[in-house]
Structure formats: structure tokens, C-alpha cells
Amino acid sequence: MQIPLNLPILSQLADSQNILIAGAGGGFDVFVGLPIYYELREMGKTVHLANYTFADTLSMTRHSDSVVLLDQLLVGTRGKLQLPLGYAPEAYLADWFNRGAGEETTIWLIEKVGVPGVVTAYSELVDHLNIDAIILVDGGVDSIMRGNEEGAGTFLEDTIVITAVAELKQVPVRILAAIGMGAEHEEMVCHYNALENIAALTKAGGFYGSCALIPQMAAFAFYRMAAEYVFTETENEASRIQSRLIPSVLGEFGSYNWLNHPRQPDDVFHSPLMSLYWFFDAVKVSEHSYAADIIRGQVSFRRAVAALMTTDKLQVTRPRRKLPL
């Protein structure tokens, strides 16, 4: 029996028809939006995909069917790849849509720039696609880190995108969805601090609820097929986060190495916590961030990094703590 993904954000999306699902932190983040993408399309919504990218978009325009909306800022990739591209999650996902799902689906890539450029790119995409809701997706939970925590992970990319989307007042619905609690092993994310942030967002009215992926869901099967194609049938490398999230949904517990991932440590702890989506008001997340104001005006990613490293306005005041469980 197929079970629907019981999204807790349907009331927020009730009046939305053209929805953009976008990877917040770049890399493979867009993949964790695929179950939501599938479920909303089943409900009759028009849904688009985008990602804050680490890929070489210039090479992508040469070796895939691409469209450039803003030069060196916003590119769409679709259809079959002409040759291997190395690290290019978005292009391989578009390739799977064409070959595996029989669809010509455009994946939009936003260059890895600072907040002003990301605002410009999203504004152009919102106008181009007539977007009335944005759901940012994060593989892991460091997107909700405020910047004053020990164990904040690699939160800067997420913070840049969340800060930019929070400025898009023309879009009435702006949501953040994070999944994969416990998967950010190498980043040493502190989950005590992450849960404390969720509690603070709950008090502020910014937490919309949670739901779990389970094996019986068609939405999960759709996501799994895309991930397995990209990770096993192409020359693209596998995502560490997805390689932990998927087996956790399938019921693996403790140490496990899905697809014999070469960078999978033995002490990664797989659990049902990894299969949970956590949904937030993206504007509230931005308002709670101590880093947002520091990086808001930085035009490049490098300058955003420098601003965080040199500021005296952001101190680590919340040390790592263990959960008393």
C-alpha cells in the first residue's frame, strides 16, 4: 500500500500553485526536496527545482541543454548530458529526469555568491516562473544554526540563501525544510544546540511541524530512484548525507554503509531521527540568525567568509552539550 507524505505545511501552501523547491546549502541539498516535489505535484501543484550550486555552470552550458537567465548568476540545466561533468549534482539530476523519469525537467542553478547576488537571482526566477511559494531544503540541520554555537556545522551557505529569501517580500510563503538529523558527522554538528534552536523557533511561532519519510511512500521511492541513478549509474560522486539518510529511512540502525561509500566512517549513527523533516518559517529562521546581519551586504561568498572570521559581533557563547537521554 502506498502511503502519502503527510506534509504539515499544506495549510501554508493552500493558496500556492507555483512552488519553487530549492537546495539551501548547495551540493546535493536539492535531492532532499524530491519527496516534497513529488507529493506536491501529486496534489496538482506546479513545482520547480533549484539549487545554490558549487558546480561549474560554464561547463554545464556547454555539455547539457541549458538556458542562461542571468549570466554568471542563474542558469537552468535540463535533458541528457553530452559527457561526464565531474561534480555536477544538478546536471545529473536533470539527466535522471530525462532518462529515468521520461521528463524534461529544468534544474535551476544559483551561483555561489553573496546575499545581494542571491537576492537578484531568486527575484529573477520568481518573476520568470511566477513563483508564489519557496521551500528551501537542507540535507542536515545546520541551516537552523544561529552562529553562536559550538558545533554549528557548515551553516554559512544555508545562511546566505535563507537571508536572501527572507528579503523576497513579493513571495508570500517562504519555508525551510531540514532533514537528516545526525547525518552531519564530519561537520560535528551539535544536536543539543540544534534542538535548542528548534525550541526557540517554536516559541517564536516559526516551527511548522515534522513528518517522516518511510519506505512505503511513493514520494520516497521517487527520491531513492533519482539518488541511486545519480550515485551509481553516472560518474558523479555520491552524497555523504543522502547515503546516510536513505538507509535510515529503510530501517538501518547504528553503523551501516549504503552503496559501500568510500567516505563513510564506521561510527556514523544511523537512526529514525535522520528520516524526519523539520519545517520552519524561513523568515523567522533568518531573524533568529546572529550571522545574517554580518554577511547580508557581502557580495561574494569569500567576503562573507571573511566577514564572519573577522567580526567581533559573533562569539561562541553556547558550548557543545550532550543530550541528557
Side-chain angles (χ1 to χ4, degrees), residues 116 119 148:
V119 171
N148 68 337

Side-chain angles (χ1 to χ4, degrees), residues 148-288:
N148 68 337
E149 310 94 343
E150 182 181 358
T154 55
F155 68 94
L156 178 55
E157 291 90 342
D158 304 278
T159 302
I160 287 173
V161 174
I162 293 167
T163 303
V165 167
E167 295 187 13
L168 302 178
K169 296 181 181 180
Q170 69 270 39
V171 183
V173 179
R174 287 157 288 171
I175 294 170
L176 170 67
I179 185 172
M181 183 171 285
E184 294 161 298
H185 176 83
E186 289 81 356
E187 293 81 3
M188 300 180 67
V189 169
C190 176
H191 295 96
Y192 182 103
N193 287 332
L195 289 170
E196 186 176 33
N197 290 346
I198 294 174
L201 287 164
T202 301
K203 284 185 178 180
F207 177 47
Y208 290 149
S210 297
C211 65
L213 287 176
I214 60 173
Q216 300 93 329
M217 290 175 175
F220 171 69
F222 179 82
Y223 160 51
R224 183 183 178 185
M225 283 190 294
E228 287 185 344
Y229 173 84
V230 172
F231 300 161
T232 63
E233 296 186 26
T234 73
E235 296 188 13
N236 196 68
E237 65 181 64
S239 159
R240 289 183 292 106
I241 301 297
Q242 323 289 327
S243 297
R244 296 162 190 175
L245 199 160
I246 290 172
S248 296
V249 174
L250 293 172
E252 299 298 337
F253 188 77
S255 178
Y256 187 79
N257 193 333
W258 186 62
L259 302 179
N260 294 314
H261 196 296
R263 294 187 297 153
Q264 192 76 281
D266 292 336
D267 55 346
V268 172
F269 186 73
H270 297 72
S271 84
L273 283 174
M274 286 190 189
S275 69
L276 292 177
Y277 278 111
W278 305 77
F279 292 91
F280 307 94
D281 179 335
V283 177
K284 293 285 188 183
V285 174
S286 180
E287 290 172 352
H288 272 232

Side-chain angles (χ1 to χ4, degrees), residues 16-240:
S16 303
Q17 186 54 42
N18 296 309
I19 301 169
L20 178 64
I21 296 177
F28 290 92
D29 273 359
V30 64
F31 279 75
V32 299
L34 292 176
I36 304 172
Y37 172 89
Y38 177 92
E39 202 65 37
L40 292 177
R41 286 208 314 174
E42 289 293 295
M43 297 176 185
K45 306 284 190 183
T46 300
V47 193
H48 305 273
L49 293 167
N51 204 38
Y52 185 62
T53 189
F54 307 158
D56 181 355
T57 57
L58 183 59
S59 293
M60 202 173 297
T61 57
R62 293 170 179 166
H63 303 298
S64 70
D65 182 10
S66 302
V67 55
V68 178
L69 279 189
L70 293 172
D71 190 36
Q72 297 184 328
L73 193 60
L74 179 59
V75 174
T77 182
R78 61 193 174 205
K80 298 177 182 178
L81 283 176
Q82 305 304 313
L83 52 77
L85 275 175
Y87 185 85
E90 303 90 350
Y92 286 107
L93 179 56
D95 187 69
W96 172 79
F97 269 105
N98 183 280
R99 299 175 192 266
E103 301 179 17
E104 193 80 356
T105 300
T106 300
I107 315 297
W108 296 97
L109 290 78
I110 296 168
E111 289 280 1
K112 192 177 179 181
V113 295
V115 172
V118 177
V119 171
T120 299
Y122 267 102
S123 297
E124 180 71 19
L125 200 52
V126 165
D127 290 343
H128 181 69
L129 300 175
N130 196 28
I131 296 298
D132 52 20
I134 296 175
I135 303 174
L136 298 175
V137 289
D138 176 30
V141 295
D142 59 2
S143 55
I144 60 169
M145 292 305 193
R146 306 178 73 177
N148 68 337
E149 310 94 343
E150 182 181 358
T154 55
F155 68 94
L156 178 55
E157 291 90 342
D158 304 278
T159 302
I160 287 173
V161 174
I162 293 167
T163 303
V165 167
E167 295 187 13
L168 302 178
K169 296 181 181 180
Q170 69 270 39
V171 183
V173 179
R174 287 157 288 171
I175 294 170
L176 170 67
I179 185 172
M181 183 171 285
E184 294 161 298
H185 176 83
E186 289 81 356
E187 293 81 3
M188 300 180 67
V189 169
C190 176
H191 295 96
Y192 182 103
N193 287 332
L195 289 170
E196 186 176 33
N197 290 346
I198 294 174
L201 287 164
T202 301
K203 284 185 178 180
F207 177 47
Y208 290 149
S210 297
C211 65
L213 287 176
I214 60 173
Q216 300 93 329
M217 290 175 175
F220 171 69
F222 179 82
Y223 160 51
R224 183 183 178 185
M225 283 190 294
E228 287 185 344
Y229 173 84
V230 172
F231 300 161
T232 63
E233 296 186 26
T234 73
E235 296 188 13
N236 196 68
E237 65 181 64
S239 159
R240 289 183 292 106

